[in-house]
Amino acid sequence: MTSILTNSSAMVALQTLKSINGNLSDTQNQISTGKAISSAKDNAAVWSISKVMETDVSTIDSITSSLNLGQSTVSVARQAAESVVSKLQSMQEIAVNASSDNVDHSTLTEQMGQLAESIKSVIGSAQFNGLNLLDGSSSGMSMLSSFSRSGNTITTSSLTVEAKDLLNGAYVAKSAFTGTTGASATGDTFAMTLDATTGTGDITFDTSTLAAGDTVSLTISGQKVSYTLSAEDMASTSPSALVATGLKSAIESLGISGLTVDYDDTSADTLSLSNTGGTALSVTGQYANAGSTDLATLDVSTSTAAAASVEKLSALISQATAVASYYGSTETQLSDQADFMSTLSDAMTTGIGSLVDADMEEASARLTALQTQQQLGIQALSIANQQPQTILSLFK
């Protein structure tokens, strides 16, 4: 039966053409955007995964930028520390030359002063983006180094870079004293009072964080004694014992009436003080860094003073070298971590692309096929629409 009201052939052709046009629109969108999934309606699950991964990539890129900034800051500190080492070596050469009697000590003293000022200038200018790790103005810096995701839970880790105060010599937090009886100790200071007739007290020395060139001193009722740690002391099995015995001898040489100092071999780092002299005694302790500010006190005006300065400069070189080595290894660590995070970002970006990017070769072939189908669909619809006109021949 042929009907002029219902053209089934045209309806089928129209639906087919609509489907072809829809597929053609999707293909053209893929070609124009380069993505097979550009919105949630294309594939909600894959689109959601890709957006989470894109957020992670953005975070990783920010971490990489932070690591690169930290690496640049550390690089400046390393180069400055290396420069300080070089200048200290030059100062040591001058001190060695000044150890002889037949040299111009005045000229050598002037050269030492110029190098000391140069060192301070180098340290003072060793800043990057306003942060100086060498002049004591900063406690260091911390930065995110990585993060991981487990569902909606994010776990991060950080890298911390310590500041090494080359200008003032405070390379690490140091403690020199601990008190056990009637004493107050705060690490680098010590204080106690010995009663006039029965006063006793112990002083325990802690050299675990000290370095060659550091000085530990005690002042007993206005009279000061001190002991400076040498490189050989620090290399020994018990530097604390050397400090204790050295200060014991120095205290005894003061000849303070009624004051006795005992040294117990079983507690090699402790001195026990006892006062029976009838006058209360105050005992205070002070620890002094062997820092670069001490360079101003280096003396090469005589051969004897210059010889003493050689040992101190050796300790300073050792400390500055340790600082340069620390920043060198830290710079390598930051560089390696930044490289890893950059590689991770690239890998994740590739993974996102495999999920949402369009296959352009396939899309091009599909576009050609759909354009052909569209033309055929239009032709089929045109033929189907002409069928009711054949009914007119029945009425002639």
Side-chain angles (χ1 to χ4, degrees):
M1 183 184 77
T2 302
S3 172
I4 63 172
L5 300 178
T6 304
N7 190 337
S8 299
S9 297
M11 293 171 62
V12 171
L14 181 60
Q15 291 300 322
T16 301
L17 184 58
K18 286 182 177 180
S19 176
I20 292 171
N21 287 339
N23 292 334
L24 184 61
S25 177
D26 291 342
T27 302
Q28 289 174 332
N29 185 58
Q30 289 183 24
I31 292 174
S32 62
T33 64
K35 291 186 176 182
I37 301 173
S38 59
S39 66
K41 72 180 182 65
D42 297 327
N43 187 319
V46 173
W47 181 84
S48 176
I49 293 172
S50 70
K51 289 305 173 183
V52 171
M53 293 181 67
E54 285 175 2
T55 301
D56 290 349
V57 168
S58 177
T59 302
I60 289 173
D61 289 343
S62 296
I63 290 175
T64 302
S65 297
S66 177
L67 288 169
N68 287 332
L69 177 62
Q71 181 185 346
S72 298
T73 305
V74 171
S75 177
V76 170
R78 172 189 58 79
Q79 293 179 55
E82 290 175 352
S83 178
V84 169
V85 171
S86 177
K87 293 179 185 301
L88 286 172
Q89 290 172 336
S90 297
M91 294 181 77
Q92 189 175 46
E93 292 176 3
I94 292 173
V96 170
N97 292 333
S99 298
S100 302
D101 291 326
N102 59 338
V103 294
D104 186 348
H105 288 96
S106 176
T107 300
L108 294 177
T109 298
E110 182 179 355
Q111 291 177 355
M112 289 283 281
Q114 290 173 345
L115 284 170
E117 290 302 316
S118 178
I119 287 175
K120 293 179 182 179
S121 177
V122 167
I123 294 172
S125 61
Q127 63 85 27
F128 185 85
N129 196 31
L131 179 61
N132 193 318
L133 296 172
L134 299 178
D135 67 352
S137 62
S138 168
S139 59
M141 62 179 178
S142 179
M143 70 208 77
L144 284 179
S145 59
S146 66
F147 91 109
S148 61
R149 177 188 293 277
S150 177
N152 292 326
T153 302
I154 301 296
T155 302
T156 61
S157 59
S158 300
L159 282 174
T160 299
V161 180
E162 299 176 4
K164 304 290 187 180
D165 188 358
L166 269 180
L167 189 62
N168 302 297
Y171 308 121
V172 292
K174 298 183 178 182
S175 59
F177 307 97
T178 57
T180 58
T181 304
S184 171
T186 60
D188 60 355
T189 61
F190 179 91
M192 71 178 178
T193 300
L194 301 177
D195 183 77
T197 57
T198 59
T200 59
D202 295 338
I203 305 175
T204 302
F205 301 94
D206 178 12
T207 59
S208 60
T209 60
L210 302 188
D214 290 343
T215 298
V216 180
S217 62
L218 293 174
T219 301
I220 303 176
S221 293
Q223 300 187 68
K224 184 176 181 179
V225 294
S226 61
Y227 186 90
T228 299
L229 287 155
S230 66
E232 290 77 12
D233 291 340
M234 296 307 299
S236 69
T237 57
S238 181
S240 296
L242 296 174
V243 172
T245 54
L247 288 174
K248 177 180 183 296
S249 298
I251 293 171
E252 290 174 339
S253 68
L254 295 176
I256 299 176
S257 177
L259 178 64
T260 58
V261 185
D262 292 327
Y263 168 72
D264 187 352
D265 289 339
T266 61
S267 182
D269 54 0
T270 300
L271 293 180
S272 296
L273 277 63
S274 177
N275 179 33
T276 58
T279 302
L281 299 176
S282 64
V283 182
T284 59
Q286 181 65 49
Y287 144 76
N289 275 315
S292 293
T293 49
D294 289 340
L295 293 176
T297 66
L298 289 173
D299 186 2
V300 293
S301 60
T302 66
S303 57
T304 301
S309 296
V310 170
E311 183 176 355
K312 185 172 185 180
L313 279 164
S314 178
L316 292 175
I317 291 171
S318 177
Q319 291 176 338
T321 300
V323 171
S325 297
Y326 169 76
Y327 286 126
S329 61
T330 301
E331 183 180 353
T332 299
Q333 181 184 16
L334 292 173
S335 176
D336 290 345
Q337 186 64 20
D339 289 344
F340 168 73
M341 296 304 290
S342 179
T343 301
L344 180 60
S345 175
D346 291 343
M348 293 184 68
T349 300
T350 301
I352 294 171
S354 67
L355 291 175
V356 302
D357 288 355
D359 185 334
M360 299 305 289
E361 292 85 353
E362 180 184 347
S364 176
R366 190 185 309 117
L367 177 64
T368 301
L370 288 171
Q371 286 173 336
T372 301
Q373 291 178 37
Q374 183 186 50
Q375 293 172 7
L376 290 173
I378 293 172
Q379 186 67 29
L381 180 60
S382 176
I383 294 171
N385 285 333
Q386 292 174 5
Q387 287 181 356
Q389 295 179 5
T390 60
I391 297 176
L392 293 176
S393 62
L394 298 175
F395 299 96
K396 290 182 180 179

